[in-house]
Structure formats: structure tokens, C-alpha cells
Amino acid sequence: MWTQQEQQELTQILKKYPADRKMSAVLPALYLAQREKNWLTDEDIEAVAEALDISPTHVHSVIGFYTLFRKEPTGKYLIQVCTDLPCALRGAEAFYQRLCQRLGLSPPGGTTADGLFTVEEVVCIAACDKAPCAQINLEYYENLTDEQMDGVIEQLRKQG
Ligand code: FES
């Protein structure tokens, strides 16, 4: 499952850990496995387990602990909009609903038919005073307007 490039990177990652402690590399290995498509298949999880000489169950347990690892099909761009109370008071819920509509998704969100965008609501991302705010693949976007969000989406579509 690893590409040649990923295999090289995995080898570099493993060099940072003692040979009998390969399991310590589980987070960077999972990050590498997820990087290209933004989520982890069972095949990815088994490949990580095999590379680190641990069980797939162990890898699953790590994934279950970290919300940034995803086991469901996810778009290339993961748009996470905070709709927690402080942001809701600044219009984040309505902003989120409009974003879903413009991407052809029904709340509570989901993935666009072309697989490019996954949209979901999240709780506080520590930008409460700059709502509406979002993370797109962990990059922050703050004080968003519908027009700005349209521009960001258009830009990401161009990047493909
Ligand atoms: S409540 Fe939305 S960023 Fe804190």
C-alpha cells in the first residue's frame, strides 16, 4: 500500500526510534498513511501495524484516541466549521447551513459527490472571537463571510 516515496519516508521515520521500539512511531506512520487521501482504510491500518510489528487492534486503539485520524471516507479538503456556542452567537450556525447548501450537502454535512470536500461541524477550535471560523485541512480561516468562503472553495477546486 505504501508508495515508493512513502516507503522511503517510513524508513526515515523508523530510523528515529530504537529497533525494539518501533511502535513509538505509530503517530507519524499513521499521519503518513493518511496524508494522500485524508483518511485511513483497513488496508492502511494493517500496513502500519505490519511496519511497526504491532497488531491492527493496537493501531485501531490509537486512531480511536486521536480525532485527527479518520476511518471514514473523507474529501481531499476537510472543512471543519466551529458552531459551538460562542461562534453560534456570531452567526456560525447559519454560515454553516449556507456552506452546506452551496456545496449541495444537507446538514449535518458530508462529502461532495466529487470527493473533493468533506464538511462537518466541530466544537471550539480556539478562534471564538473570530467567528465564523473554520479549519480546512487544519489551516485556519477566520472572520469568514459567505463570499470569502466561496473564494476559498473556488481556489481549492482549481488546485483539485
Ligand atoms: S467556540 Fe468556536 S472557536 Fe471557540
Side-chain angles (χ1 to χ4, degrees):
M1 88 103 216
W2 304 106
T3 64
Q4 196 174 356
Q5 169 70 29
E6 288 168 347
Q7 187 63 62
Q8 287 171 0
E9 290 182 53
L10 182 62
T11 301
Q12 292 305 313
I13 289 168
L14 291 175
K15 280 182 182 171
K16 296 177 184 172
Y17 301 90
D20 62 342
R21 299 276 169 84
K22 283 202 272 185
M23 70 186 301
S24 299
V26 67
L27 292 180
L30 281 169
Y31 178 80
L32 180 64
Q34 180 174 279
R35 186 177 65 189
E36 215 31 59
K37 59 187 176 314
N38 229 0
W39 67 287
L40 295 158
T41 62
D42 286 342
E43 185 191 5
D44 295 327
I45 292 165
E46 282 169 25
V48 169
E50 187 180 327
L52 305 184
D53 294 332
I54 55 179
S55 70
T57 303
H58 186 122
V59 180
H60 276 283
S61 71
V62 173
I63 294 166
F65 190 74
Y66 291 97
T67 57
L68 295 180
F69 293 122
R70 303 176 65 87
K71 289 201 289 186
E72 310 80 39
T74 301
K76 181 173 182 184
Y77 300 106
L78 174 60
I79 304 175
Q80 298 174 301
V81 178
C82 175
T83 55
D84 215 351
L85 181 60
C87 288
L89 293 173
R90 289 176 51 105
E93 287 179 320
F95 172 83
Y96 181 74
Q97 307 268 333
R98 292 192 299 271
L99 172 63
C100 285
Q101 266 178 0
R102 296 200 308 286
L103 288 172
L105 300 168
S106 306
T111 302
T112 54
D114 60 7
L116 207 51
F117 299 103
T118 293
V119 181
E120 65 183 22
E121 293 178 81
V122 291
V123 293
C124 189
I125 57 172
C128 321
D129 59 325
K130 300 180 182 74
C133 58
Q135 290 183 121
I136 303 178
N137 291 2
L138 300 184
E139 187 175 336
Y140 270 64
Y141 294 81
E142 299 168 335
N143 295 311
L144 282 163
T145 63
D146 291 345
E147 293 71 28
Q148 286 170 329
M149 198 67 202
D150 284 347
V152 171
I153 287 168
E154 193 55 36
Q155 184 64 36
L156 294 175
R157 275 209 174 99
K158 280 184 193 155
Q159 288 174 28

